Amino acid sequence: MGKVITLGEIMLRFSTNQGTRLPQSDKLNVHYGGGEANVAISLANYGHTVSFASKVPNNSLGEAVKKHLKRYGVGTETLLFGGNRLGTYYVESGIGQRAASVVYDRAHSSFSEMTFNEWSEEILFSEADIFHISGITPALSHQWRTLTLELMKAAKRKCCKISFDINYRGKLWTQKEAGSVLKMLLPYVDYCSAGYMDAIHLLEIAPRPEEELSYYYKKMQAHYPNIQVFYSTKRTVTSASDNELTGTLWMNETYYESKPQLICPVVDRVGGGDAFCGGVLHGLLTKENPQDIIEFATAASALKHTVEGDCNQFSEEEVNSFLAAGSGKIIR
Ligand SMILES: O=C(O)C(=O)C[C@H](O)[C@H](O)CO
């Protein structure tokens, strides 16, 4: 097992019940969300030593975040307290052909207003194998663009592998802004979650509709030869409650695809990408065979779609038995 540090913003998430729009809701379900916190929880579920670095207000909401992370076995020694508020976001659940939609209310949060590195490099990266961060963080402020780069460089000095999920969020910044920041960050990355939309719209790789995903991975690696592993999912969406998910991986200059996983019905898609990322990182830390890595990560993501909330709720054993049994079986 390995030691992993993930860093990012954690938020309170409020979501409607299916079939209810936000403006008509008089009750909302409460969960925690945040891409990097979700990855930390997946890895803790699989038995890794993992700590989450963030900043939350020094009040009972911040204390509740700490309890949430501890409940899953995520280390909180790098969770800072201070600042003004805990970011929140609202999810209007999708149903049938109507997609889910998100409203962020995270301006002036304790994390987004950080202006300098408040962590000690020693504490943050000591004995860590992987430092995981995502494109959501540099989207939060100009200061975070500089800080993300600084932290990546510091992690490299400590010989950590850098894992980066592009996680483009169009409600936080434009493609142009994201593209120019990515150019600065990607030279430090070892493992990258990026799909063909990222390649075309953010990394300026000319679209070639006749080409498969492997073409884009090859092109991205030609631009960034430091990145050893690329991965993403291909999703066939038949409706908001019915998806087929295929995991893809570029590793050792070879393209791998998982068998497709049918998710029917989709209970909650949010966090599916983080569960996939957690599965890939777990695979990179523990598995030899790239095909096994991508099968595990895709199954982990498929399972996440069956539960409410952003976090993966399944252990390594449960993901493996889902893989072995296939969907739709009773486990006795
Ligand atoms: O969108 C964000 O900024 C979040 O981190 C919220 C969710 O947890 C995330 O999108 C899931 O990947």
Side-chain angles (χ1 to χ4, degrees):
M1 293 289 157
K3 180 171 176 200
V4 182
I5 303 294
T6 80
L7 183 146
E9 178 163 34
I10 185 162
M11 295 175 286
L12 257 187
R13 160 185 150 175
F14 299 100
S15 40
T16 64
N17 290 323
Q18 271 198 343
T20 313
R21 299 211 65 191
L22 259 176
Q24 77 182 111
S25 291
D26 52 14
K27 61 176 180 299
L28 294 166
N29 303 307
V30 182
H31 298 277
Y32 288 96
E36 304 82 355
N38 300 338
V39 171
I41 288 171
S42 274
L43 289 166
N45 288 345
Y46 305 145
H48 297 279
T49 304
V50 48
S51 294
F52 177 61
S54 193
K55 187 168 181 180
V56 293
N58 193 7
N59 58 26
S60 49
L61 292 177
E63 204 43 48
V65 166
K66 187 172 175 176
K67 288 205 164 123
H68 161 74
L69 294 165
K70 276 181 174 287
R71 191 172 147 227
Y72 289 95
V74 173
T76 55
E77 62 286 352
T78 49
L79 186 66
L80 306 169
F81 287 85
N84 291 318
R85 63 174 295 234
L86 185 66
T88 64
Y89 83 106
Y90 296 80
V91 179
E92 186 175 88
S93 304
I95 190 162
Q97 294 302 312
R98 180 165 61 78
S101 70
V102 163
V103 176
Y104 289 124
D105 179 17
R106 62 202 298 180
H108 309 298
S109 70
S110 302
F111 182 79
S112 69
E113 295 219 317
M114 284 180 72
T115 54
F116 64 98
N117 176 12
E118 296 178 40
W119 294 278
S120 126
E121 262 180 48
E122 283 311 315
I123 294 176
L124 202 53
F125 302 120
S126 90
E127 288 166 32
D129 300 296
I130 299 179
F131 173 50
H132 174 78
I133 192 160
S134 93
I136 297 171
T137 297
L140 295 177
S141 70
H142 282 277
Q143 209 46 254
W144 260 114
R145 290 172 201 176
T146 314
L147 263 175
T148 303
L149 182 62
E150 257 178 44
L151 286 162
M152 281 182 165
K153 286 183 179 172
K156 277 265 145 183
R157 283 196 292 275
K158 295 284 176 195
C159 301
C160 276
K161 295 280 187 196
I162 312 275
S163 159
F164 186 75
D165 184 344
I166 288 186
N167 249 341
Y168 176 68
R169 297 288 181 264
K171 289 192 172 171
L172 297 179
W173 56 352
T174 63
Q175 290 180 351
K176 199 164 168 236
E177 283 173 307
S180 70
V181 170
L182 288 174
K183 281 191 190 114
M184 182 176 92
L185 300 177
L186 290 181
Y188 296 91
V189 170
D190 297 286
Y191 311 140
C192 184
S193 172
Y196 79 95
M197 297 287 268
D198 299 318
I200 295 168
H201 298 295
L202 308 178
L203 304 182
E204 291 165 9
I205 292 171
R208 287 266 204 101
E210 71 285 6
E211 294 287 358
E212 299 288 337
L213 193 48
S214 56
Y215 166 83
Y216 294 96
Y217 284 144
K218 215 181 282 179
K219 283 275 176 198
M220 288 193 279
Q221 198 174 44
H223 281 68
Y224 300 102
N226 50 295
I227 304 181
Q228 300 146 33
V229 176
F230 285 96
Y231 56 94
S232 67
T233 49
K234 290 198 293 192
R235 189 186 293 273
T236 314
V237 181
T238 36
S239 72
S241 54
D242 199 352
N243 280 210
E244 200 175 74
L245 199 69
T246 306
T248 69
L249 177 72
W250 177 260
M251 191 171 164
N252 307 331
E253 294 177 21
T254 310
Y255 179 72
Y256 300 87
E257 251 187 33
S258 73
K259 64 179 184 225
Q261 294 284 355
L262 177 68
I263 315 161
C264 173
V266 175
V267 173
D268 189 346
R269 264 185 66 167
V270 182
D274 305 325
F276 181 68
C277 176
V280 169
L281 295 183
H282 171 62
L284 291 171
L285 287 164
T286 59
K287 296 181 198 298
E288 296 280 309
N289 182 345
Q291 191 64 41
D292 292 343
I293 297 177
I294 199 61
E295 297 295 355
F296 181 89
T298 311
S301 180
L303 278 173
K304 156 63 205 76
H305 285 70
T306 66
V307 293
E308 289 283 356
D310 291 33
C311 318
N312 182 18
Q313 303 287 341
F314 299 90
S315 66
E316 179 180 24
E317 206 188 350
E318 286 169 322
V319 177
N320 282 332
S321 57
F322 173 79
L323 252 183
S327 43
K329 307 277 189 320
I330 300 174
I331 300 161
R332 299 179 204 266

Coordinates of all heavy atoms in Angstrom, one line a residue, residues 9-93:
E9 N -10.4 21.8 -2.5 CA -11.5 22.3 -1.7 C -12.5 21.3 -1.4 O -12.9 20.5 -2.3 CB -12.1 23.5 -2.5 CG -13.3 24.1 -1.7 CD -13.7 25.4 -2.2 OE1 -13.6 25.7 -3.4 OE2 -14.2 26.2 -1.3
I10 N -13.0 21.2 -0.2 CA -14.1 20.4 0.2 C -15.3 21.3 0.5 O -15.1 22.3 1.0 CB -13.8 19.4 1.4 CG1 -14.9 18.4 1.6 CG2 -13.4 20.2 2.6 CD1 -14.5 17.2 2.4
M11 N -16.5 20.8 0.0 CA -17.7 21.7 0.1 C -18.8 20.9 0.7 O -18.8 19.7 0.6 CB -18.1 22.2 -1.2 CG -17.1 23.1 -1.9 SD -17.6 23.5 -3.6 CE -17.3 22.0 -4.4
L12 N -19.8 21.6 1.3 CA -21.0 21.0 1.6 C -21.8 21.0 0.3 O -21.9 21.9 -0.4 CB -21.8 21.8 2.6 CG -21.8 21.4 4.1 CD1 -22.7 22.3 4.9 CD2 -22.2 20.0 4.3
R13 N -22.5 19.8 0.1 CA -23.3 19.7 -1.1 C -24.7 19.5 -0.7 O -25.1 18.7 0.1 CB -22.8 18.5 -1.9 CG -23.9 18.0 -2.9 CD -23.5 16.7 -3.6 NE -24.7 16.0 -3.9 CZ -24.7 14.9 -4.6 NH1 -23.6 14.4 -5.1 NH2 -25.8 14.2 -4.9
F14 N -25.6 20.3 -1.3 CA -27.1 20.2 -1.1 C -27.7 19.7 -2.4 O -27.5 20.4 -3.4 CB -27.6 21.6 -0.7 CG -27.1 22.1 0.6 CD1 -26.1 23.1 0.5 CD2 -27.5 21.7 1.8 CE1 -25.5 23.6 1.7 CE2 -26.9 22.2 3.0 CZ -25.9 23.1 2.9
S15 N -28.5 18.7 -2.3 CA -29.0 18.2 -3.6 C -30.5 17.9 -3.5 O -31.0 17.5 -2.4 CB -28.3 17.0 -4.1 OG -28.0 16.1 -3.1
T16 N -31.2 18.1 -4.6 CA -32.6 17.9 -4.6 C -32.9 16.4 -4.7 O -32.0 15.6 -5.1 CB -33.3 18.6 -5.9 OG1 -32.7 17.9 -7.1 CG2 -33.0 20.0 -6.0
N17 N -34.1 16.0 -4.4 CA -34.5 14.6 -4.7 C -34.8 14.6 -6.2 O -35.1 15.6 -6.9 CB -35.8 14.3 -4.0 CG -35.5 14.1 -2.5 OD1 -34.5 13.6 -2.1 ND2 -36.5 14.6 -1.7
Q18 N -34.7 13.4 -6.8 CA -35.0 13.2 -8.2 C -36.4 13.7 -8.5 O -37.3 13.4 -7.8 CB -34.8 11.8 -8.7 CG -33.4 11.5 -9.1 CD -33.3 10.2 -9.9 OE1 -34.2 9.4 -9.9 NE2 -32.2 10.0 -10.5
G19 N -36.6 14.4 -9.6 CA -37.9 14.9 -10.0 C -38.3 16.2 -9.4 O -39.4 16.6 -9.5
T20 N -37.4 16.8 -8.7 CA -37.6 18.1 -8.0 C -36.6 19.1 -8.5 O -35.4 18.8 -8.5 CB -37.6 18.0 -6.5 OG1 -38.3 16.9 -6.1 CG2 -38.1 19.3 -5.8
R21 N -37.0 20.3 -9.0 CA -36.1 21.3 -9.4 C -35.7 22.1 -8.2 O -36.4 22.2 -7.1 CB -36.7 22.2 -10.4 CG -37.1 21.5 -11.7 CD -37.0 22.4 -12.9 NE -35.6 22.8 -13.1 CZ -35.3 23.7 -14.0 NH1 -36.2 24.4 -14.7 NH2 -34.0 24.0 -14.2
L22 N -34.5 22.8 -8.3 CA -34.0 23.6 -7.1 C -35.0 24.6 -6.6 O -35.3 24.7 -5.4 CB -32.7 24.2 -7.4 CG -31.4 23.5 -6.9 CD1 -30.2 24.2 -7.4 CD2 -31.4 23.4 -5.4
P23 N -35.5 25.5 -7.5 CA -36.4 26.5 -7.0 C -37.7 26.0 -6.3 O -38.3 26.8 -5.6 CB -36.8 27.3 -8.3 CG -35.7 27.0 -9.3 CD -35.3 25.6 -9.0
Q24 N -38.1 24.8 -6.6 CA -39.3 24.3 -5.9 C -39.0 23.5 -4.7 O -40.0 23.1 -4.0 CB -40.1 23.5 -7.0 CG -39.6 22.1 -7.2 CD -40.3 21.3 -8.2 OE1 -39.8 21.0 -9.3 NE2 -41.5 20.9 -7.9
S25 N -37.7 23.3 -4.4 CA -37.4 22.3 -3.3 C -37.6 23.0 -1.9 O -37.2 24.1 -1.7 CB -36.0 21.9 -3.4 OG -35.8 21.1 -4.5
D26 N -38.3 22.2 -1.0 CA -38.3 22.7 0.4 C -37.5 21.8 1.3 O -37.5 22.0 2.5 CB -39.8 22.9 0.8 CG -40.6 21.6 0.6 OD1 -40.0 20.6 0.3 OD2 -41.8 21.7 0.7
K27 N -36.9 20.8 0.7 CA -35.9 20.1 1.5 C -34.8 19.6 0.6 O -35.0 19.3 -0.6 CB -36.5 18.9 2.3 CG -37.2 17.8 1.5 CD -37.6 16.7 2.5 CE -38.3 15.6 1.8 NZ -39.5 15.9 1.1
L28 N -33.5 19.6 1.1 CA -32.4 19.2 0.3 C -31.6 18.1 1.1 O -31.6 18.1 2.3 CB -31.5 20.4 0.1 CG -32.1 21.5 -0.8 CD1 -31.3 22.8 -0.7 CD2 -32.2 21.1 -2.3
N29 N -31.0 17.2 0.3 CA -30.1 16.2 0.9 C -28.7 16.8 1.1 O -28.2 17.5 0.3 CB -30.1 15.0 0.1 CG -31.5 14.4 -0.2 OD1 -32.2 14.2 0.8 ND2 -31.9 14.3 -1.4
V30 N -28.1 16.4 2.2 CA -26.7 17.0 2.5 C -25.6 15.9 2.4 O -25.8 14.8 3.0 CB -26.7 17.6 3.9 CG1 -25.4 18.3 4.2 CG2 -27.8 18.6 4.0
H31 N -24.6 16.2 1.6 CA -23.4 15.4 1.5 C -22.2 16.3 1.5 O -22.3 17.5 1.5 CB -23.4 14.6 0.2 CG -24.6 13.7 0.1 ND1 -24.6 12.4 0.6 CD2 -25.8 13.8 -0.5 CE1 -25.7 11.8 0.4 NE2 -26.5 12.6 -0.3
Y32 N -21.0 15.7 1.5 CA -19.8 16.5 1.2 C -19.3 16.2 -0.2 O -19.4 15.1 -0.7 CB -18.7 16.2 2.2 CG -19.0 16.7 3.6 CD1 -19.6 15.9 4.6 CD2 -18.7 18.0 3.9 CE1 -20.0 16.4 5.8 CE2 -19.1 18.5 5.2 CZ -19.7 17.7 6.1 OH -20.0 18.2 7.3
G33 N -18.7 17.3 -0.8 CA -18.2 17.1 -2.2 C -16.8 17.8 -2.3 O -16.5 18.6 -1.5
G34 N -16.1 17.4 -3.3 CA -14.8 18.0 -3.6 C -14.0 16.9 -4.2 O -13.8 15.8 -3.6
G35 N -13.6 17.1 -5.5 CA -13.0 16.0 -6.2 C -11.8 15.4 -5.5 O -11.7 14.1 -5.5
E36 N -10.9 16.2 -4.9 CA -9.7 15.6 -4.4 C -10.0 14.9 -3.0 O -9.4 13.9 -2.7 CB -8.7 16.7 -4.1 CG -8.3 17.5 -5.4 CD -9.3 18.6 -5.7 OE1 -10.3 18.7 -5.0 OE2 -9.1 19.3 -6.7
A37 N -11.0 15.4 -2.3 CA -11.4 14.7 -1.0 C -12.1 13.4 -1.4 O -11.9 12.3 -0.7 CB -12.4 15.6 -0.3
N38 N -12.8 13.3 -2.5 CA -13.4 12.1 -3.0 C -12.4 11.0 -3.3 O -12.5 9.9 -3.0 CB -14.3 12.3 -4.2 CG -15.5 13.3 -3.9 OD1 -15.8 13.5 -2.8 ND2 -16.0 13.9 -5.0
V39 N -11.3 11.5 -4.0 CA -10.2 10.6 -4.3 C -9.6 10.0 -3.0 O -9.3 8.8 -2.9 CB -9.2 11.2 -5.2 CG1 -7.9 10.4 -5.4 CG2 -9.8 11.6 -6.6
A40 N -9.4 10.9 -2.1 CA -8.8 10.5 -0.8 C -9.6 9.4 -0.1 O -9.1 8.4 0.4 CB -8.6 11.7 0.1
I41 N -10.9 9.6 -0.2 CA -11.8 8.6 0.5 C -11.7 7.3 -0.2 O -11.7 6.2 0.4 CB -13.2 9.2 0.6 CG1 -13.2 10.3 1.7 CG2 -14.3 8.1 0.9 CD1 -14.5 11.1 1.8
S42 N -11.7 7.3 -1.5 CA -11.6 6.0 -2.3 C -10.3 5.3 -1.8 O -10.4 4.1 -1.6 CB -11.4 6.3 -3.8 OG -12.7 6.4 -4.4
L43 N -9.2 6.0 -1.8 CA -7.9 5.4 -1.5 C -7.9 4.9 -0.1 O -7.3 3.8 0.2 CB -6.8 6.4 -1.8 CG -6.5 6.6 -3.3 CD1 -5.6 7.8 -3.5 CD2 -5.9 5.4 -3.9
A44 N -8.5 5.6 0.9 CA -8.6 5.1 2.2 C -9.4 3.9 2.3 O -9.1 2.9 3.0 CB -9.2 6.2 3.1
N45 N -10.5 3.8 1.5 CA -11.4 2.6 1.5 C -10.6 1.4 1.0 O -10.9 0.3 1.4 CB -12.5 2.8 0.5 CG -13.6 3.7 1.0 OD1 -13.6 4.0 2.2 ND2 -14.5 4.1 0.1
Y46 N -9.5 1.6 0.2 CA -8.7 0.5 -0.3 C -7.5 0.2 0.6 O -6.7 -0.6 0.2 CB -8.2 0.8 -1.7 CG -9.3 1.1 -2.7 CD1 -9.1 2.0 -3.8 CD2 -10.6 0.5 -2.6 CE1 -10.1 2.4 -4.7 CE2 -11.6 0.8 -3.5 CZ -11.4 1.8 -4.5 OH -12.4 2.1 -5.4
G47 N -7.4 0.9 1.7 CA -6.4 0.6 2.7 C -5.1 1.4 2.6 O -4.1 1.1 3.3
H48 N -5.1 2.4 1.8 CA -3.9 3.3 1.7 C -3.8 4.3 2.8 O -4.9 4.7 3.4 CB -3.8 4.0 0.3 CG -3.8 3.1 -0.8 ND1 -2.6 2.5 -1.3 CD2 -4.8 2.6 -1.6 CE1 -2.9 1.8 -2.3 NE2 -4.2 1.8 -2.5
T49 N -2.6 4.7 3.1 CA -2.5 5.8 4.1 C -2.7 7.1 3.3 O -1.9 7.4 2.3 CB -1.1 5.8 4.7 OG1 -0.9 4.5 5.3 CG2 -0.9 6.9 5.7
V50 N -3.7 7.9 3.6 CA -4.0 9.0 2.7 C -4.4 10.2 3.6 O -5.1 10.1 4.6 CB -5.0 8.7 1.6 CG1 -6.2 8.0 2.2 CG2 -5.5 10.0 0.9
S51 N -3.9 11.4 3.3 CA -4.2 12.6 4.0 C -4.8 13.6 3.0 O -4.4 13.7 1.9 CB -3.0 13.2 4.6 OG -2.5 12.4 5.6
F52 N -5.7 14.4 3.5 CA -6.3 15.4 2.7 C -5.9 16.8 3.2 O -6.0 17.1 4.4 CB -7.9 15.3 2.7 CG -8.6 16.3 2.0 CD1 -8.4 16.4 0.6 CD2 -9.5 17.2 2.6 CE1 -9.1 17.4 -0.1 CE2 -10.2 18.1 1.9 CZ -10.0 18.3 0.5
A53 N -5.4 17.6 2.3 CA -5.0 19.0 2.6 C -6.0 20.0 2.1 O -6.3 19.9 0.9 CB -3.6 19.2 2.0
S54 N -6.4 20.8 3.0 CA -7.4 21.8 2.6 C -7.5 22.9 3.7 O -6.7 22.9 4.7 CB -8.8 21.2 2.4 OG -9.6 22.1 1.7
K55 N -8.4 23.9 3.5 CA -8.6 24.8 4.6 C -10.1 25.0 4.8 O -10.8 25.2 3.8 CB -7.9 26.2 4.3 CG -8.0 27.2 5.4 CD -7.0 28.3 5.2 CE -7.1 29.3 6.3 NZ -6.2 30.5 6.1
V56 N -10.5 24.9 6.0 CA -12.0 25.1 6.3 C -12.1 26.1 7.5 O -11.2 26.3 8.2 CB -12.6 23.7 6.7 CG1 -12.6 22.8 5.5 CG2 -11.8 23.1 7.9
P57 N -13.3 26.7 7.6 CA -13.4 27.7 8.7 C -13.3 27.0 10.1 O -13.6 25.9 10.3 CB -14.8 28.2 8.5 CG -15.5 27.2 7.7 CD -14.5 26.5 6.9
N58 N -12.8 27.9 11.0 CA -12.6 27.4 12.4 C -14.0 27.5 13.1 O -14.1 28.4 14.0 CB -11.5 28.3 13.0 CG -11.1 27.7 14.3 OD1 -11.5 26.6 14.7 ND2 -10.2 28.4 15.0
N59 N -14.9 26.7 12.8 CA -16.2 26.7 13.4 C -16.8 25.3 13.3 O -16.1 24.4 12.9 CB -17.2 27.8 12.8 CG -17.4 27.6 11.3 OD1 -17.3 26.5 10.8 ND2 -17.7 28.6 10.6
S60 N -18.0 25.1 13.7 CA -18.6 23.8 13.8 C -18.7 23.2 12.3 O -18.7 21.9 12.2 CB -19.9 23.7 14.5 OG -20.7 24.7 14.1
L61 N -18.8 24.0 11.3 CA -18.8 23.4 10.0 C -17.5 22.8 9.6 O -17.4 21.8 9.0 CB -19.3 24.5 8.9 CG -20.7 25.0 9.1 CD1 -20.9 26.1 8.0 CD2 -21.7 23.9 8.9
G62 N -16.4 23.5 10.0 CA -15.1 23.0 9.7 C -14.8 21.7 10.5 O -14.3 20.8 10.0
E63 N -15.3 21.7 11.8 CA -15.2 20.6 12.6 C -15.9 19.4 12.0 O -15.5 18.2 12.0 CB -15.8 20.9 14.0 CG -15.3 20.1 15.2 CD -13.7 19.9 15.2 OE1 -12.9 20.9 15.0 OE2 -13.4 18.7 15.4
A64 N -17.1 19.6 11.4 CA -17.9 18.6 10.8 C -17.1 18.0 9.6 O -17.2 16.8 9.4 CB -19.2 19.1 10.4
V65 N -16.4 18.8 8.8 CA -15.6 18.3 7.7 C -14.6 17.3 8.2 O -14.4 16.3 7.7 CB -14.9 19.5 6.9 CG1 -13.9 19.0 6.0 CG2 -16.0 20.3 6.2
K66 N -13.9 17.7 9.3 CA -12.9 16.9 9.9 C -13.4 15.5 10.3 O -12.9 14.5 10.0 CB -12.3 17.6 11.1 CG -11.1 16.9 11.7 CD -10.4 17.8 12.7 CE -9.3 17.1 13.4 NZ -8.6 17.9 14.4
K67 N -14.6 15.6 10.9 CA -15.3 14.3 11.3 C -15.6 13.4 10.1 O -15.5 12.2 10.2 CB -16.5 14.6 12.2 CG -16.2 15.1 13.5 CD -17.3 14.9 14.5 CE -16.8 15.1 15.9 NZ -17.5 16.1 16.7
H68 N -16.1 14.1 9.1 CA -16.5 13.4 7.8 C -15.2 12.6 7.3 O -15.3 11.4 7.0 CB -17.0 14.4 6.8 CG -17.0 13.9 5.4 ND1 -17.9 13.0 4.9 CD2 -16.2 14.3 4.3 CE1 -17.7 12.8 3.6 NE2 -16.7 13.5 3.3
L69 N -14.1 13.3 7.2 CA -12.9 12.7 6.7 C -12.4 11.6 7.5 O -12.1 10.5 7.1 CB -11.8 13.8 6.5 CG -12.1 14.9 5.5 CD1 -11.1 16.0 5.6 CD2 -12.0 14.3 4.0
K70 N -12.4 11.8 8.9 CA -12.0 10.8 9.8 C -12.8 9.5 9.7 O -12.3 8.4 9.9 CB -12.0 11.4 11.2 CG -10.8 12.2 11.6 CD -10.9 12.7 13.0 CE -9.7 13.4 13.5 NZ -8.5 12.5 13.7
R71 N -14.1 9.7 9.5 CA -15.0 8.6 9.4 C -14.6 7.6 8.4 O -14.8 6.4 8.5 CB -16.4 9.2 9.1 CG -17.5 8.2 9.2 CD -18.8 8.9 9.1 NE -19.7 8.0 8.4 CZ -20.5 8.3 7.4 NH1 -20.5 9.5 6.9 NH2 -21.3 7.3 6.9
Y72 N -14.0 8.1 7.3 CA -13.5 7.2 6.2 C -12.0 6.8 6.4 O -11.5 6.2 5.5 CB -13.7 7.9 4.9 CG -15.2 8.0 4.5 CD1 -15.9 9.2 4.8 CD2 -15.8 6.9 3.9 CE1 -17.2 9.2 4.4 CE2 -17.1 7.0 3.5 CZ -17.9 8.2 3.8 OH -19.2 8.2 3.5
G73 N -11.4 7.3 7.5 CA -10.0 7.0 7.7 C -9.0 7.8 6.9 O -7.9 7.4 6.7
V74 N -9.5 9.0 6.5 CA -8.6 9.9 5.8 C -7.9 10.8 6.9 O -8.5 11.3 7.8 CB -9.4 10.9 4.8 CG1 -8.5 11.9 4.2 CG2 -10.0 10.0 3.7
G75 N -6.5 10.9 6.8 CA -5.8 11.7 7.7 C -6.1 13.2 7.6 O -6.3 13.7 6.5
T76 N -6.2 13.9 8.7 CA -6.6 15.3 8.7 C -5.5 16.2 9.3 O -5.7 17.4 9.6 CB -7.9 15.5 9.5 OG1 -7.7 15.0 10.8 CG2 -9.1 14.8 8.8
E77 N -4.3 15.7 9.4 CA -3.2 16.5 10.0 C -2.8 17.7 9.1 O -2.2 18.7 9.5 CB -2.0 15.7 10.4 CG -1.3 14.9 9.2 CD -2.0 13.7 8.7 OE1 -3.0 13.3 9.2 OE2 -1.6 13.2 7.6
T78 N -3.2 17.6 7.8 CA -2.9 18.7 6.9 C -4.2 19.5 6.6 O -4.2 20.3 5.6 CB -2.3 18.2 5.6 OG1 -3.1 17.1 5.1 CG2 -0.9 17.7 5.8
L79 N -5.2 19.4 7.4 CA -6.4 20.2 7.2 C -6.2 21.5 8.1 O -6.1 21.4 9.3 CB -7.7 19.4 7.7 CG -9.0 20.0 7.5 CD1 -9.4 20.2 6.0 CD2 -10.1 19.2 8.2
L80 N -6.3 22.6 7.4 CA -6.0 23.9 8.1 C -7.4 24.5 8.5 O -8.4 24.3 7.8 CB -5.3 24.9 7.2 CG -4.0 24.4 6.6 CD1 -3.5 25.4 5.5 CD2 -2.9 24.3 7.6
F81 N -7.4 25.3 9.6 CA -8.6 25.9 10.0 C -8.4 27.4 10.0 O -7.3 27.9 10.4 CB -8.9 25.5 11.5 CG -9.5 24.1 11.5 CD1 -8.6 23.0 11.6 CD2 -10.8 23.8 11.4 CE1 -9.1 21.7 11.6 CE2 -11.3 22.5 11.4 CZ -10.4 21.5 11.5
G82 N -9.4 28.1 9.5 CA -9.3 29.6 9.4 C -10.1 30.1 8.2 O -10.8 29.3 7.6
G83 N -10.0 31.4 8.0 CA -10.7 32.0 6.9 C -12.2 32.2 7.1 O -12.7 32.0 8.3
N84 N -13.0 32.5 6.1 CA -14.3 33.0 6.3 C -15.5 31.9 6.2 O -16.4 32.0 7.0 CB -14.6 34.0 5.2 CG -13.8 35.2 5.5 OD1 -13.7 35.7 6.6 ND2 -13.2 35.8 4.4
R85 N -15.4 31.0 5.3 CA -16.5 30.1 5.1 C -16.2 28.8 4.4 O -15.2 28.7 3.8 CB -17.6 30.9 4.4 CG -17.3 31.3 2.9 CD -18.5 31.9 2.2 NE -19.5 30.9 2.0 CZ -20.1 30.6 0.9 NH1 -19.7 31.2 -0.3 NH2 -21.0 29.7 0.8
L86 N -17.1 27.9 4.6 CA -17.0 26.6 3.9 C -17.8 26.8 2.6 O -19.0 27.2 2.6 CB -17.7 25.5 4.7 CG -17.6 24.1 4.2 CD1 -16.2 23.6 4.2 CD2 -18.5 23.2 5.1
G87 N -17.2 26.5 1.4 CA -17.9 26.6 0.2 C -19.0 25.6 0.1 O -19.0 24.5 0.8
T88 N -20.0 25.9 -0.7 CA -21.1 25.0 -0.8 C -21.4 24.8 -2.3 O -21.0 25.6 -3.1 CB -22.4 25.5 -0.1 OG1 -22.9 26.7 -0.7 CG2 -22.2 25.7 1.3
Y89 N -22.2 23.7 -2.6 CA -22.7 23.7 -4.0 C -24.0 22.9 -3.9 O -24.3 22.1 -3.0 CB -21.7 23.2 -5.0 CG -21.5 21.7 -5.1 CD1 -22.0 21.0 -6.2 CD2 -20.8 20.9 -4.2 CE1 -21.8 19.7 -6.4 CE2 -20.6 19.6 -4.4 CZ -21.1 19.0 -5.5 OH -20.8 17.6 -5.7
Y90 N -24.8 23.2 -5.0 CA -26.2 22.7 -5.0 C -26.3 21.8 -6.3 O -25.8 22.2 -7.4 CB -27.2 23.9 -5.1 CG -27.2 24.7 -3.9 CD1 -26.2 25.7 -3.7 CD2 -28.1 24.5 -2.9 CE1 -26.1 26.4 -2.5 CE2 -28.1 25.3 -1.7 CZ -27.1 26.2 -1.6 OH -27.1 27.0 -0.4
V91 N -26.9 20.7 -6.1 CA -27.1 19.8 -7.3 C -28.6 19.6 -7.5 O -29.3 19.2 -6.6 CB -26.5 18.4 -7.1 CG1 -26.7 17.5 -8.3 CG2 -25.0 18.5 -6.8
E92 N -29.0 20.0 -8.7 CA -30.4 19.7 -9.1 C -30.3 18.4 -9.9 O -29.7 18.3 -10.9 CB -30.9 20.8 -10.1 CG -32.4 20.6 -10.4 CD -32.9 21.8 -11.2 OE1 -32.8 21.7 -12.4 OE2 -33.4 22.8 -10.6
S93 N -30.9 17.3 -9.2 CA -30.7 16.0 -9.8 C -31.4 15.8 -11.1 O -32.4 16.4 -11.4 CB -31.3 14.9 -8.8 OG -30.7 15.1 -7.6

